[in-house]
Amino acid sequence: MIAWDQALAAPRDPAPPLPSDRDALLRGFHPDHAPGAMERLRVGVSAGQPCPAALADLLQSNALVEDVDIAGRAMREAEVLVLGGGGAGCIAALTAARDGARVLLVTKLRMGDGNTVMAEGGIQAAVGAEDSLQRHYEDTLRAGHFRADKALVAAMVRDGPASIRWLIQQGMGFDLEEGEDRIGGHLLRKKPGGATAARLLSFRDYTGLELMRVIREAVLLTPGITVLERHPVVELLTDPHGRCAGAVLLELGRREIVLARAGAVVLATGGAGRLHLNGFPTSNHYGATADGLVLAYRLGAGLREVESFQYHPTGIAWPPHLAGTLISEAARAAGGLLFNGLGQRFVDELAPRDVVAAAILREIAEGRAAAREGCEGVLLDTPGLEAANPGILAKRLVTLSHLAHRAGFDPAREPFLIRPTLHYQNGGIAIDAEGRTAVPGLFCAGEASGGLHGLNRLMGNALLELVAFGRRAGAAAVEAARGDRPRGVGLTHLAAWERGLVAAGLPLDRRAPMVFPPYGNVDLAAMLRQRVAA
Amino acid sequence: MSLAPGAGLADSGAMPIPIIIDGHAIEAPPGASLIQAWISAGLPLTENVGCMGQGVCGACRVLVRREGERIATAALACETRAEAGMQVAFIDHFPARRPHAYDLAAMGDSWTALGQVDAVFPEAKHCRHCGGCDAACPKGIEVQKAVTLAVEGRALAAGALFDHCVMCNLCVAACPEHIAPAHLGQFLRRMANSLTLRPGDLIERIRQIEDGSQAIDLDSPGAAP
């Protein structure tokens, strides 16, 4: 590795990088391919599938509660129960309530405290005259190494432009091209890494914040939605036929178990970055602990591509108190270049994220990284970007400039030191185009679901997915909830699950969901036991 | 290796920083944010936390008094680094409830939109100009100026001042007239976009999708390796 002073002094050569064999790069350096990173699931409907070991431990664990814990507890009623208060959950709740359903939305932190509000880059929709739905469809499949579900991708892509219209109708703003009119003008479009057309629509470099604050306000003002914050879900409820019929919640304020019964459940619990797979830092919010995956899997919902995670190329490597914090791809989409400690470019900055991340890890592994106070990474050349586009840092990359300020340097004079950060769960719970899982009554949307991104997600498809499938799952859940109120609701599914664990030789005393990361100093199992004993 | 955010800070060899958070006297690793200091002291973290460092969710509101200062100021704990002698108190969130009800979809006539500002937020015209909202905002937004502009009917200019608002609701808590400035800002911004943003390229593409000229061929050559 090269010392920071030397790396800064090295003349940066803008010559294009030498082409490299992408497959070999991914096999050699992407964390998904690290030796020992994966194991095969041994129990459940997706037994045999590869899965990161830390996630497999959670998926193959026992429940936090049993029958005695839920006996006699207060029961809340709703037609549609939404688990998760990020973008997908709020949009599903809005959709269901507007379709006439009584909705209960529960979330373990506060509504909006999720990954959606942190999304910076933007949202994809093929609106350019030179662009088409077909190109968006093919770009998405190709970036995901052709492992995504074609019908799901086509549904998402087709919903793209109408999703943008829907967001504007809720009051969301989008940037227009310089000087364009608000009526009839053209949207500002950027080209996401791995795409063939400029298709990324945005609001500054805090698109997710703009989306989330608008949607949260809409939820608060929509009659028919009850919101329970600080109520993590600790188990799902079923009827005697195996249909999902509600959830067991933990009211953190009173440390009490509360039950929620519903005709249909939408699971929108997000991703898993706080598992810190392979020891990586994460860009995710505090609650991204794969809770929904664990609960749905225990109930019999299949998983897909859970072996695939996205490591965002540009996480902060230095300073340590910001390690893992994201620098938006917008910086590279706008022309920002990456240099190793020798001042050489080493990858096409706008290649798909998995390729760029693997290339950075290669530079680190092969000794060409720069090191600052012991933190290793490569340079994101913000001074070069500012020199080529004067004013861009202040005007269009506001969040990035703010981040540099907090790190204690001027991005127009000094580059960022960056390295990949665990960013997104590419796979998840298998769904159909209406957001249905394999379990009757259980729907899924957003990062928790799988099939939209294959083995690698394109920038801007996460926000599009959560709008398109939040709406689809919300509408489908209303349809499913029309019918008899669920009866005989309980934890009947757990007996078979425990038998499965025993048969596979797995321990019964490992309990999940995790709910809070270990460094949050919360022993949830103990909290529940204490409650029951009291 | 500890995976806790900011765990690497403790290894730097520098002296730990004494601070008090919610009555707990703790030693923060040098360079740690207040949230990182809290968890590194072994204290349980189940609330008043969200994005954990990006400063964008508004969950981790704190009052901070620095040594030698008389006044405590509002801040976000994930964006504020521990300094020796700091006294810190988390400001809890109360369940969200919105008294200022409106329905964007019902605002068909944009001629009546400005009148809606006063109908929905009648308290805004009672602003005392006490500056409490400006002092409370951790993002440096000119909140009071925005309220004044809104009352004058300058809806777009007022909404624009809330451009980077994270909806932490500290201005809402600070306002003695219950104006709820952050929500007034959201109202103005949402109204402006829903009534006046009509991108031509978007509208044209939606028309093409509806008339069938943007069909997707699921098995095109580009859909396979």
Side-chain angles (χ1 to χ4, degrees):
Chain A
M1 63 185 166
I2 294 104
W4 181 245
D5 290 349
Q6 270 176 284
L8 279 187
R12 284 167 219 154
D13 179 2
L18 298 170
S20 49
D21 177 350
R22 288 188 175 187
D23 284 337
L25 186 61
L26 291 173
R27 275 197 310 277
F29 297 97
H30 195 279
D32 284 351
H33 298 278
M38 297 295 156
E39 59 180 61
R40 300 268 167 192
L41 291 173
R42 287 153 63 188
V43 69
V45 290
S46 300
Q49 277 190 27
C51 178
L55 178 57
D57 281 352
L58 293 178
L59 291 171
Q60 305 183 128
S61 61
N62 206 354
L64 283 162
V65 290
E66 49 192 275
D67 279 329
V68 63
D69 301 329
I70 68 166
R73 298 287 167 182
M75 177 82 83
R76 290 211 174 232
E77 306 276 350
E79 283 159 317
V80 174
L81 171 66
V82 179
L83 305 173
C90 287
I91 288 172
L94 261 186
T95 306
R98 287 173 181 170
D99 285 356
R102 266 185 314 125
V103 178
L104 182 63
L105 184 152
V106 304
T107 177
K108 73 177 161 191
L109 298 170
R110 289 179 319 152
M111 188 176 23
D113 295 344
N115 283 346
T116 302
V117 77
M118 303 168 76
E120 299 179 348
I123 178 167
Q124 284 208 39
V127 301
E130 81 293 358
D131 197 4
S132 67
L133 298 188
Q134 186 72 33
R135 280 173 73 169
H136 188 178
Y137 169 75
E138 293 177 9
D139 285 353
T140 301
L141 289 177
R142 192 178 56 255
H145 303 270
F146 302 99
R147 286 276 297 276
D149 181 305
K150 287 181 175 182
L152 295 186
V153 175
M156 173 180 77
V157 163
R158 208 178 286 123
D159 282 357
S163 295
I164 304 302
R165 176 175 63 186
W166 185 84
L167 288 169
I168 293 173
Q169 286 167 337
Q170 310 315 308
M172 181 173 168
F174 286 91
D175 287 338
L176 297 166
E177 278 179 44
E178 193 72 34
E180 292 274 329
D181 298 324
R182 289 181 66 81
I183 295 183
H186 284 193
L187 290 159
L188 177 69
R189 293 185 282 126
K190 285 173 275 194
K191 191 168 163 179
T196 61
R199 189 182 299 132
L200 190 77
L201 313 179
S202 54
F203 182 79
R204 315 276 189 261
D205 63 349
Y206 38 95
T207 312
L209 170 61
E210 170 71 355
L211 187 155
M212 195 67 237
R213 63 190 176 189
V214 160
I215 297 300
R216 177 172 44 206
E217 208 74 353
V219 168
L220 289 173
L221 291 169
T222 300
I225 305 177
T226 302
V227 178
L228 292 181
E229 297 180 323
R230 299 174 179 176
H231 279 65
V233 52
V234 293
E235 191 56 54
L236 295 173
L237 292 169
T238 46
D239 76 2
H241 309 290
R243 181 186 170 87
C244 183
V248 182
L249 313 171
L250 174 62
E251 182 186 355
L252 287 171
R254 294 178 214 276
R255 299 191 169 193
E256 243 165 35
I257 287 175
V258 177
L259 308 179
R261 174 162 59 181
V265 177
V266 180
L267 195 139
T269 48
R274 292 280 160 190
L275 302 188
H276 296 281
L277 302 176
N278 301 306
F280 272 77
T282 184
S283 60
N284 285 189
H285 79 287
Y286 179 66
T289 51
D291 300 354
L293 247 59
V294 171
L295 298 176
Y297 189 60
R298 199 174 279 159
L299 211 51
L303 305 175
R304 54 179 298 166
E305 285 97 47
V306 282
E307 77 277 24
S308 172
F309 280 78
Q310 182 162 81
Y311 295 79
H312 193 292
T314 53
I316 296 256
W318 178 95
H321 81 282
L322 292 172
T325 304
L326 195 68
I327 300 167
S328 167
E329 187 172 319
R332 282 173 293 132
L337 301 180
L338 299 175
F339 293 94
N340 63 20
L342 303 168
Q344 302 158 332
R345 289 175 69 193
F346 53 90
V347 69
D348 169 10
E349 288 79 2
L350 291 179
R353 284 179 176 173
D354 54 351
V355 173
V356 180
I360 295 168
L361 293 170
R362 177 191 61 197
E363 297 306 295
I364 293 172
E366 295 181 350
R368 292 184 296 274
R372 185 171 196 179
E373 294 173 18
C375 306
E376 282 189 88
V378 299
L379 279 56
L380 173 65
D381 186 19
T382 44
L385 180 64
E386 177 69 16
N389 313 267
I392 190 169
L393 294 177
K395 262 187 263 165
R396 274 178 52 198
L397 299 171
V398 181
T399 305
L400 177 147
S401 301
H402 181 61
L403 193 55
H405 173 74
R406 285 170 55 204
F409 68 92
D410 175 0
R413 306 172 65 101
E414 226 178 285
F416 278 91
L417 186 69
I418 59 103
R419 59 165 292 194
T421 182
L422 180 56
H423 186 56
Y424 192 83
Q425 170 181 289
N426 291 323
I429 299 161
I431 56 168
D432 70 8
E434 306 309 318
R436 290 186 201 93
T437 71
V439 176
L442 182 64
F443 298 77
C444 183
E447 189 171 346
S449 72
L452 269 306
H453 311 294
L455 299 182
N456 179 55
R457 176 176 64 79
L458 279 180
M459 174 194 200
N461 271 349
L463 288 187
L464 176 56
E465 178 199 339
L466 69 86
V467 179
F469 278 81
R471 293 178 70 196
R472 283 168 176 264
V478 175
E479 285 305 312
R482 293 192 215 284
D484 290 342
R485 224 168 58 152
R487 290 165 196 282
V489 173
L491 298 171
T492 42
H493 60 288
L494 291 182
W497 177 255
E498 288 186 4
R499 278 198 297 279
L501 291 178
V502 172
L506 290 159
L508 288 176
D509 59 352
R510 192 166 60 203
R511 300 188 184 270
M514 181 186 269
V515 183
F516 297 111
Y519 45 76
N521 309 314
V522 184
D523 186 342
L524 209 71
M527 194 191 284
L528 284 162
R529 291 279 85 74
Q530 198 182 7
R531 195 55 234 170
V532 170
Chain B
M1 182 190 78
S2 170
L3 297 166
L9 294 164
D11 308 333
S12 68
M15 291 291 284
I17 299 170
I19 60 170
I20 296 175
I21 307 185
D22 278 357
H24 302 276
I26 64 174
E27 306 242 291
S33 71
L34 294 175
I35 283 268
Q36 289 167 349
W38 176 268
I39 56 174
S40 74
L43 295 165
L45 184 64
T46 63
E47 58 192 22
N48 299 322
V49 59
C51 67
M52 216 171 182
Q54 207 169 308
V56 80
C57 77
C60 59
R61 314 180 306 176
V62 284
L63 275 177
V64 175
R65 193 173 72 173
R66 291 176 171 81
E67 191 159 63
E69 285 182 4
R70 196 170 59 82
I71 305 285
T73 50
L76 297 178
C78 76
E79 290 194 309
T80 309
R81 295 169 84 168
E83 295 167 26
M86 259 186 179
Q87 259 186 292
V88 182
F90 276 96
I91 306 172
D92 204 1
H93 289 265
F94 300 104
R97 198 162 286 126
R98 291 280 0 104
H100 299 98
Y102 60 90
D103 179 6
L104 281 186
M107 275 188 208
D109 178 6
S110 45
W111 284 99
T112 65
L114 292 183
Q116 287 292 312
V117 178
D118 186 49
V120 179
F121 289 86
E123 302 90 347
K125 59 181 177 292
H126 301 141
C127 174
R128 303 178 193 176
H129 306 283
C130 68
C133 50
D134 289 353
C137 181
K139 296 291 177 183
I141 294 170
E142 296 174 278
V143 183
Q144 184 175 295
K145 181 177 169 190
V147 170
T148 305
L149 287 169
V151 171
E152 289 171 359
R154 298 179 182 275
L156 292 185
L161 289 176
F162 286 103
D163 208 275
H164 55 291
C165 170
V166 298
M167 301 300 291
C168 70
N169 284 308
L170 279 166
C171 59
V172 179
C175 180
E177 292 289 349
H178 309 295
I179 293 172
H183 297 278
L184 170 61
Q186 272 301 295
F187 173 67
L188 298 168
R189 299 173 62 83
R190 296 181 67 208
M191 183 176 75
N193 290 321
S194 66
L195 289 179
T196 74
L197 186 57
R198 297 289 181 270
D201 44 3
L202 174 67
I203 291 168
E204 172 61 12
R205 181 51 42 86
I206 289 172
R207 196 188 60 73
Q208 291 169 355
I209 293 170
E210 285 170 355
D211 76 16
S213 59
Q214 278 284 331
I216 298 175
D217 175 5
L218 258 61
D219 297 311
S220 63

